[in-house]
Amino acid sequence: MENLLEVRNLRKDFQTKKGLLQAVNDISFNVRKGETLGIVGESGCGKSTTGRAVLRLVEPTGGEVRFEGQNILGYSSRKMREARKDMQIIFQDPFASLNPRMSISQIIAEPFDVYRMYNPSERAQRVQELMRTVGLSNKLVNSFPHELDGGRRQRVGVARALALSPKFIVCDEPVSALDVSIQAQILNLIQDLQQKLDLTYVFISHDLSVVKHISNRVAVMYLGKFVELTTSRQIFANPLHPYTQALLSAIPIPKVNVEKRQRVILEGDVPSPVNPPAGCIFSGRCPYVMPRCREAPPPVVEAEPDHFVSCYLVSDKMPPHVPATAHSAGDSSPT
Amino acid sequence: MAERLLEIDNLRVEYHTDDGVVTAVEDLQLHVEKGQTVGLVGETGAGKTTTALSIMRLVPAPPGRIVSGSVHFHGEDLLHKRLDEIKKIRGNKISMIFQDPMTSLNPVLTIGFQIEEAVVLHQGLDARAARARAGEMLRLVGIPPEREGDYPHEFSGGMRQRVGIAMALSCNPELLIADEPTTALDVTIQAQVLELMKRLRQQFSTSMLLITHDLGVVAEVCDQVAIMYAGTIVEYADVNTLFTNPRHPYTRGLFGSIPSLDEEVTRLNPIKGLMPDPTALPSGCKFHPRCPMAGEICKTRVPQTTNLGQGHSVHCMIYEGLVPGYEE
Amino acid sequence: MRTETDDIIQSSDEHPGELPEKLSPDEHPPLTPAPELSKRRGQWGEVWRRLRKNRTAMFGLAVVLLIIFTAIFADVIAPYSFRVQNLDRIAEAPSRDHLLGTDDLGRDILSRIIFGARVSLQVGFIAVSISIILGGTLGAVAGYYGGRMDNVIMRVMDVLLAIPSILLAIAIVSAFGGGIVNVMIAVGISYIPVYARIVKASFISIKEQEFIEAARAVGARDGRIIVRHILPNSLAPIIVQGTLGVATAILSAAGLSFIGLGIQPPTPEWGAMLSSGRHLIRSAWHVATFPGLAIMLTIFALNLLGDGLRDALDPRLKQ
């Protein structure tokens, strides 16, 4: 399958008072055309920064982001503005992501203003189309965000992201702020739009159930790195990284009488991404930690087709001929 | 039958706002038996927190007002007690854990001092005994007692919630009200805190009212579940019954909205529509505009409680035989 | 607050767009009551609604409007000219002819106060406009770009703040001479740092919000982000401070005139009138008292209005 987005050795450092914060620490992955790649992780793991770095909403410190084969990190700001038409984002907080002083139609039409597209009547019609697409009544055109509930606001955010007919959308925790019944509506909308408009998503969330539900493949992120990347079926059926296992077992399942998985309770808190541990980033909390885990980071290996993991427990079992190329997670389809 | 520790009857709480009167809780019936954990489940605006605050007599007034009803604790109506009597119960016999313990901890006092203060106030311990008690409580929730001299901001979110739990349990309360205690936490931390709560509940045999929107958390820790919608409890049952045999259309809708981890579902089946405008609640059954089963009568008649046996009760006209039900 | 009816997703043939299908039924929100037009208002409508409920603020607003009205129509309202002297009737007590009496040159005090409103309001509003425009721009640049620019601008502001504003105004007026224009400039400059700080603070907090990032994500440039997104959201504190600032500016101008550095006679200015009446305070109390009361009333009204605006613009503060 064709890759729409190829990310290589992406890095984003922030200079903080306590030291260098490596929010995104050498991540590589591909996003295939028409798929949804889920990124799941706990707060502070760098998942949102990854999404923003891919769109250059935060400027990456290093690496490459190739969109349709072109490295957009080398783009001038003028060229980047053009590229933004194809790459959009849906934000987490439908309260903070809409300008409270602008009406719904102004918010949705803002991209047209920015690129000086359409005359006023075409613009009004396009706004109506977009509102219909996301399931908003035309009666709301002149409303203001504070008059809408969270679910409708999030629909406005989706409409704005769709305005320029993008090919690729980063969904940054788009349902985390919503109640479950509304969350399900928005998830369905996001899925429907993907089919209808041929969209490719990166879907970021802390909720593994949501990510698993909507994604074709899932990357598990911990302290700025992907520890495991595989299909959403395999991530549940055969989690290989101890962190993925712990994450899965920690989720309370809304069922009774089911065989509960052996719960792995991790000790301690997520360490600070400032000065992360040497060696494997998970070594501080890993129940299976070995001395060498603290010395050098484990290689990324393809444990089974389309299943990448970075852990000595897995790589030790692999036949030696498997190339332990460090940053190949996601370079799935052999070229 | 076990002793009813807490019994709420016909509770009605209103908020008088600029936009009109919001009935946050209406005709609420709920009880907690000794040693039980009751989950109170609902979405934003369902009135869960207002219910909890009513028990503690902490509904902000104005704009809030407890209009009618009773809250019996050990057979005594808390709503008719004097404020100084309530203050003896608050934090002592009934204590509360909040979603963000940062809001309930004083940022300029050490956590040790704050636990000791409660113990001195309610249990009449002297300073030395109080200090010992604080250290003991901290050890119990997995915080080294040496950290009692630290301030709330020096703890991570999960640790702060542990401090909140230590504080809530320091006076050995009979009833613990936990308002979304793990919602703000990451899942691995949530797992730690839930594990801790389960352990301590057994150890202290405290009764608990757990407010949450997460059915997974309910399945994990609760004995009984009350599902709340727009100010009323629409279904009440023990955890097994509710999860295997949900009856109210809203309860069923909630289950249909949750993405499943262990099953392949390509499309969710959410409840249509939105939470109703709290200043203009629908007539009749408040769920009828969103209900897939609703009939004409649902628009006008308020459903009564139907007992389905074994403590399973539901507020829905289907079970009163007035509306055609599900094909089983 | 939700006010609209349900979202009917109409059949799409009347709108031949590129997305013709209907969405699945679960996307239909429910029937709720029909929209009330009165609720359809922007945020400024909300502010006005809250302000209207605040009685003291409405009193302040009424007085301010009355003073503005008086100033505009001074020629019609004032019973006498402000400059005609009647040396036969010097420092007369209030009487039917002269409701507030006459001053030491026999001029009608009521008329001079009415014309004085013109001067005071002009000075107040224009001086504040000067400080808002200059201070606001500096604050916006400092807040939006940060870094070295911010450092340089804010240190200059700190220096200005270190000098008492009245002293600064005195210095400017003594250097460039009195007169109404110079007083406005002097007072305006002396309050620049206040607005620079307020605007900088609100720019910093607003530029971190997600909707700014959203604008950047659709390709908006800095200018658009500042004018369209940040500025409208930082108006509230500027308006409040501006209202209170008019009062302070009037007082400063009156102070300058009182010490003889401000507006020169015969232009009627409340501070100057107060000053000229002060040596008569034992023999003719009204000469100094009424201009003083005018200053007090205006400032009082502006402060009531400013406090009310603050509550109306940020309802969270009140509760």
Side-chain angles (χ1 to χ4, degrees):
Chain A
M1 222 186 306
E2 199 186 334
N3 289 330
L4 183 70
L5 186 80
E6 294 167 345
V7 175
R8 292 292 171 274
N9 309 98
L10 187 69
R11 278 182 172 283
K12 176 63 193 176
D13 302 335
F14 292 102
Q15 202 63 53
T16 67
K17 279 176 192 150
K18 289 180 188 164
L20 193 67
L21 186 155
Q22 298 177 313
V24 180
N25 187 356
D26 203 3
I27 283 182
S28 302
F29 60 94
N30 297 332
V31 185
R32 299 163 191 168
K33 228 183 166 108
E35 82 163 343
T36 300
L37 175 74
I39 301 180
V40 70
E42 296 181 278
S43 47
C45 73
K47 54 190 191 302
S48 282
T49 309
T50 307
R52 282 165 165 75
V54 162
L55 299 178
R56 283 184 74 184
L57 286 176
V58 299
E59 204 55 53
T61 313
E64 278 181 26
V65 176
R66 290 200 290 269
F67 185 77
E68 296 184 312
Q70 299 283 316
N71 182 11
I72 61 162
L73 297 194
Y75 279 9
S76 65
S77 64
R78 176 182 300 251
K79 228 175 154 192
M80 193 58 221
R81 255 167 61 88
E82 282 306 303
R84 292 205 184 284
K85 289 183 181 173
D86 286 331
M87 312 172 77
Q88 279 301 315
I89 178 165
I90 301 169
F91 292 93
Q92 165 175 11
D93 187 346
F95 294 80
S97 63
L98 306 179
N99 185 340
R101 303 269 179 218
M102 284 165 82
S103 72
I104 302 310
S105 61
Q106 287 173 324
I107 291 170
I108 298 176
E110 166 143 57
F112 308 144
D113 270 353
V114 168
Y115 294 96
R116 301 184 202 291
M117 291 157 83
Y118 305 122
N119 64 36
S121 73
E122 284 170 352
R123 196 176 284 189
Q125 196 189 322
R126 182 85 179 106
V127 168
Q128 277 192 10
E129 272 169 35
L130 285 162
M131 288 179 72
R132 198 166 57 241
T133 308
V134 298
L136 283 170
S137 160
N138 275 334
K139 297 188 181 82
L140 299 176
V141 275
N142 294 319
S143 304
F144 284 83
H146 71 276
E147 298 174 313
L148 271 54
D149 61 280
R152 286 211 179 94
R153 271 186 243 213
Q154 196 55 293
R155 287 173 198 264
V156 174
V158 173
R160 171 176 58 194
L162 294 177
L164 296 166
S165 311
K167 296 172 183 162
F168 170 69
I169 298 181
V170 172
C171 308
D172 184 15
E173 303 249 19
V175 297
S176 304
L178 306 174
D179 273 318
V180 279
S181 68
I182 308 300
Q183 169 176 321
Q185 293 174 2
I186 299 292
L187 285 175
N188 280 353
L189 174 70
I190 288 175
Q191 276 181 321
D192 292 346
L193 293 172
Q194 178 165 45
Q195 284 189 353
K196 256 184 297 196
L197 304 175
D198 218 2
L199 293 168
T200 304
Y201 293 139
V202 163
F203 192 100
I204 298 165
S205 178
H206 68 280
D207 186 335
L208 193 46
S209 331
V210 168
V211 164
K212 190 225 161 209
H213 171 78
I214 203 158
S215 309
N216 303 95
R217 293 187 303 145
V218 175
V220 179
M221 196 165 179
Y222 188 81
L223 272 193
K225 278 184 183 294
F226 283 180
V227 295
E228 188 159 3
L229 189 151
T230 185
T231 61
S232 65
R233 190 186 299 266
Q234 281 304 91
I235 202 89
F236 181 78
N238 186 24
L240 293 175
H241 197 282
Y243 178 64
T244 314
Q245 291 165 0
L247 203 58
L248 274 169
S249 81
I251 299 171
I253 307 254
K255 277 186 184 146
V256 288
N257 302 332
V258 288
E259 209 181 311
K260 301 263 174 178
R261 271 181 311 270
Q262 182 61 41
R263 173 154 287 182
V264 189
I265 302 270
L266 289 180
E267 295 292 318
D269 290 316
V270 182
S272 153
V274 179
N275 310 318
C280 174
I281 40 153
F282 188 55
S283 56
R285 294 173 86 196
C286 183
Y288 312 110
V289 65
M290 304 175 285
R292 59 200 274 231
C293 297
R294 304 190 200 274
E295 284 155 20
V300 175
V301 293
E302 188 165 11
E304 56 185 335
D306 223 1
H307 193 157
F308 300 87
V309 63
S310 164
C311 177
Y312 283 120
L313 290 175
V314 180
S315 63
D316 285 352
K317 287 188 204 136
M318 301 290 292
H321 68 267
V322 170
T325 50
H327 314 302
S328 63
D331 280 339
S332 46
S333 35
T335 39
Chain B
M1 203 173 84
E3 190 198 335
R4 286 202 171 168
L5 184 67
L6 181 82
E7 183 148 20
I8 304 177
D9 255 318
N10 293 319
L11 183 69
R12 183 185 178 91
V13 184
E14 291 174 352
Y15 289 98
H16 294 257
T17 69
D18 287 357
D19 297 305
V21 177
V22 174
T23 308
V25 173
E26 192 176 358
D27 291 336
L28 184 111
Q29 316 267 357
L30 184 69
H31 61 267
V32 179
E33 284 171 17
K34 225 175 157 63
Q36 264 187 351
T37 295
V38 176
L40 188 55
V41 181
E43 296 180 273
T44 311
K48 300 168 298 197
T49 299
T50 303
T51 306
L53 293 177
S54 307
I55 300 170
M56 302 284 274
R57 289 267 298 275
L58 285 172
V59 175
R65 199 159 75 86
I66 298 176
V67 180
S68 58
S70 62
V71 177
H72 282 93
F73 179 69
H74 275 309
E76 291 181 63
D77 190 352
L78 296 180
L79 299 187
H80 289 103
K81 279 195 178 296
R82 287 202 317 274
L83 209 59
D84 57 319
E85 292 175 307
I86 286 291
K87 280 185 179 158
K88 279 186 198 145
I89 293 175
R90 254 186 225 160
N92 186 21
K93 292 190 172 140
I94 306 179
S95 55
M96 199 155 172
I97 304 175
F98 297 89
Q99 175 169 348
D100 179 7
M102 209 50 184
T103 56
S104 56
L105 294 172
N106 187 333
V108 298
L109 299 175
T110 65
I111 56 148
F113 181 86
Q114 295 186 58
I115 298 174
E116 287 162 32
E117 192 183 27
V119 183
V120 170
L121 197 68
H122 290 300
Q123 310 260 297
L125 298 185
D126 61 40
R128 172 183 262 169
R131 182 169 210 126
R133 186 63 187 271
E136 183 195 331
M137 291 317 297
L138 287 176
R139 194 174 310 115
L140 209 61
V141 296
I143 294 175
E146 305 87 82
R147 295 202 61 184
E148 67 175 353
D150 289 358
Y151 292 90
H153 71 267
E154 294 174 90
F155 292 87
S156 66
M159 294 287 254
R160 245 179 333 223
Q161 197 52 285
R162 285 162 188 269
V163 173
I165 293 171
M167 219 162 128
L169 290 177
S170 61
C171 294
N172 205 356
E174 294 173 66
L175 178 67
L176 191 60
I177 300 173
D179 188 0
E180 304 265 10
T182 58
T183 306
L185 306 177
D186 276 317
V187 295
T188 58
I189 310 299
Q190 165 173 292
Q192 294 172 356
V193 171
L194 287 179
E195 209 59 31
L196 172 74
M197 285 171 61
K198 278 196 284 189
R199 182 166 62 79
L200 292 178
R201 191 164 60 87
Q202 280 170 356
Q203 203 170 332
F204 287 76
S205 66
T206 309
S207 312
M208 184 157 78
L209 183 65
L210 175 73
I211 295 171
T212 180
H213 67 278
D214 188 336
L215 286 166
V217 172
V218 170
E220 195 96 351
V221 291
C222 294
D223 305 310
Q224 301 281 324
V225 194
I227 307 283
M228 199 166 179
Y229 184 79
T232 36
I233 285 172
V234 296
E235 187 162 7
Y236 182 89
D238 65 79
V239 121
N240 270 317
T241 311
L242 194 104
F243 279 72
T244 50
N245 190 16
R247 283 313 177 105
H248 197 280
Y250 177 64
T251 315
R252 291 176 178 229
L254 277 184
F255 280 109
S257 300
I258 314 170
S260 167
L261 251 192
D262 51 358
E263 282 167 42
E264 292 297 323
V265 183
T266 46
R267 210 182 146 76
L268 297 170
N269 193 9
I271 306 164
K272 64 181 181 179
L274 306 161
M275 284 294 279
D277 178 346
T279 58
L281 289 174
S283 58
C285 172
K286 293 196 198 93
F287 187 58
H288 83 260
R290 304 178 71 185
C291 183
M293 309 301 290
E296 273 305 308
I297 192 168
C298 300
K299 293 179 187 164
T300 52
R301 187 175 175 276
V302 178
Q304 304 296 307
T305 313
T306 310
N307 265 311
L308 303 169
Q310 282 147 2
H312 188 178
S313 63
V314 62
H315 265 71
C316 177
M317 249 88 81
I318 293 175
Y319 306 98
E320 296 180 57
L322 299 171
V323 177
Y326 294 92
E327 288 170 23
E328 300 289 339
Chain C
M1 204 44 30
R2 292 191 293 275
T3 55
E4 66 297 307
T5 59
D6 72 327
D7 297 354
I8 297 158
I9 297 154
Q10 303 153 357
S11 71
S12 48
D13 23 45
E14 42 183 309
H15 295 288
E18 53 175 282
L19 307 160
E21 296 97 329
K22 284 171 93 174
L23 285 169
S24 52
D26 60 31
E27 313 295 352
H28 293 243
L31 281 160
T32 49
E36 282 175 57
L37 281 173
S38 62
K39 281 193 174 178
R40 273 296 169 84
R41 56 193 159 214
Q43 294 215 321
W44 296 115
E46 291 281 328
V47 169
W48 170 236
R49 189 178 59 94
R50 283 195 292 264
L51 186 67
R52 228 171 30 191
K53 281 191 178 172
N54 186 336
R55 284 200 186 161
T56 50
M58 288 314 284
F59 171 74
L61 180 66
V63 173
V64 171
L65 288 178
L66 186 75
I67 295 167
I68 293 175
F69 179 83
T70 317
I72 293 173
F73 296 103
D75 298 310
V76 187
I77 297 169
Y80 298 92
S81 157
F82 64 84
R83 59 165 80 230
V84 171
Q85 306 180 358
N86 185 347
L87 296 175
D88 291 341
R89 308 186 70 166
I90 285 173
E92 260 182 30
S95 63
R96 190 172 291 177
D97 286 349
H98 297 283
L99 285 175
L100 301 181
T102 57
D103 68 3
D104 54 344
L105 295 172
R107 296 173 295 198
D108 180 52
I109 291 181
L110 177 63
S111 305
R112 285 182 63 78
I113 287 179
I114 289 172
F115 279 100
R118 248 183 208 184
V119 178
S120 288
L121 287 183
Q122 268 183 47
V123 171
F125 281 102
I126 294 177
V128 165
S129 307
I130 292 172
S131 12
I132 287 182
I133 291 169
L134 294 179
T137 312
L138 290 170
V141 169
Y144 190 77
Y145 292 101
R148 178 172 296 183
M149 190 87 100
D150 173 22
N151 245 322
V152 171
I153 291 174
M154 292 324 283
R155 292 305 79 77
V156 173
M157 293 297 114
D158 287 346
V159 171
L160 275 181
L161 269 179
I163 310 167
S165 52
I166 191 75
L167 217 58
L168 189 66
I170 290 171
I172 295 171
V173 173
S174 6
F176 298 99
I180 190 161
V181 175
N182 283 353
V183 168
M184 288 174 190
I185 294 173
V187 174
I189 288 177
S190 63
Y191 286 103
I192 283 178
V194 175
Y195 296 91
R197 285 197 159 180
I198 290 173
V199 172
K200 183 195 160 186
S202 58
F203 262 56
I204 285 178
S205 70
I206 291 163
K207 86 169 173 179
E208 296 302 327
Q209 294 207 23
E210 228 169 33
F211 65 83
I212 302 300
E213 198 172 19
R216 203 164 280 140
V218 297
R221 292 197 183 94
D222 285 357
R224 184 184 169 84
I225 288 174
I226 291 176
V227 173
R228 197 88 178 78
H229 293 282
I230 305 184
L231 204 56
N233 284 289
S234 53
L235 282 182
I238 301 175
I239 290 172
V240 172
Q241 185 60 42
T243 315
L244 301 173
V246 171
T248 327
I250 290 177
L251 203 59
S252 299
L256 284 176
S257 305
F258 184 85
I259 55 176
L261 285 171
I263 286 121
Q264 301 305 314
T267 315
E269 203 281 341
W270 295 341
M273 288 165 70
L274 187 69
S275 169
S276 70
R278 95 197 119 134
H279 62 271
L280 299 172
I281 194 80
R282 283 172 198 276
S283 53
W285 57 274
H286 60 275
V287 179
T289 305
F290 289 116
L293 283 176
I295 296 175
M296 205 188 83
L297 182 69
T298 310
I299 288 167
F300 181 58
L302 281 164
N303 278 316
L304 288 183
L305 179 63
D307 285 342
L309 275 172
R310 188 202 322 265
D311 292 343
L313 286 162
D314 194 352
R316 280 164 305 171
L317 274 182
K318 215 180 163 186
Q319 288 190 345

